[in-house]
Amino acid sequence: MTVTEKYINPFTDFGFKKLFGTEPNKDSLKSYRDLKNVIDTSYGDGKKDGEIEEKTKGIIKALKRGKLTIDEIAEDFVATVDFVLEIKKDNNL
């Protein structure tokens, strides 16, 4: 077993040769893992943005209905009162 083989993880490094055209070495494996981490992070950030967008749409809907107070809306959507007030101000509700 060589030193570079020690760092190869069969659960995360599959398809390496197909992607880079060579056997993995210490530098190329680092590049591969860096790229994978960037993709994973961007996916997580996009998911968070989508959750915030959905929460914002729900708050706008509740504000338009006008049946709940700001405190109740904040509690229902697990948001701060300031966040709800900011949405209300931004959307002229």
Side-chain angles (χ1 to χ4, degrees):
M1 178 197 259
T2 65
V3 176
T4 56
E5 289 174 347
K6 179 178 167 187
Y7 297 103
I8 297 171
N9 183 341
F11 298 109
T12 59
D13 300 333
F14 53 88
F16 186 91
K17 188 172 183 177
K18 188 174 184 180
L19 285 172
F20 293 99
T22 62
E23 291 296 326
N25 61 40
K26 190 175 181 181
D27 292 332
S28 61
L29 197 54
K30 182 184 179 315
S31 297
Y32 171 76
R33 288 185 177 148
D34 287 345
L35 288 171
K36 184 175 179 342
N37 287 335
V38 166
I39 291 168
D40 292 346
T41 301
S42 65
Y43 174 77
D45 290 347
K47 188 174 179 182
K48 287 177 191 173
D49 290 344
E51 290 171 359
I52 291 172
E53 186 176 324
E54 288 299 315
K55 186 182 284 191
T56 303
K57 286 179 183 179
I59 290 172
I60 290 171
K61 204 179 223 185
L63 286 168
K64 284 182 180 179
R65 260 187 265 135
K67 295 182 179 182
L68 299 173
T69 66
I70 300 294
D71 292 328
E72 291 171 334
I73 293 171
E75 186 178 331
D76 287 350
F77 288 94
V78 191
T80 63
V81 173
D82 293 335
F83 183 70
V84 176
L85 289 172
E86 184 179 328
I87 292 171
K88 183 177 181 177
K89 182 180 139 195
D90 291 347
N91 292 286
N92 297 321
L93 300 172

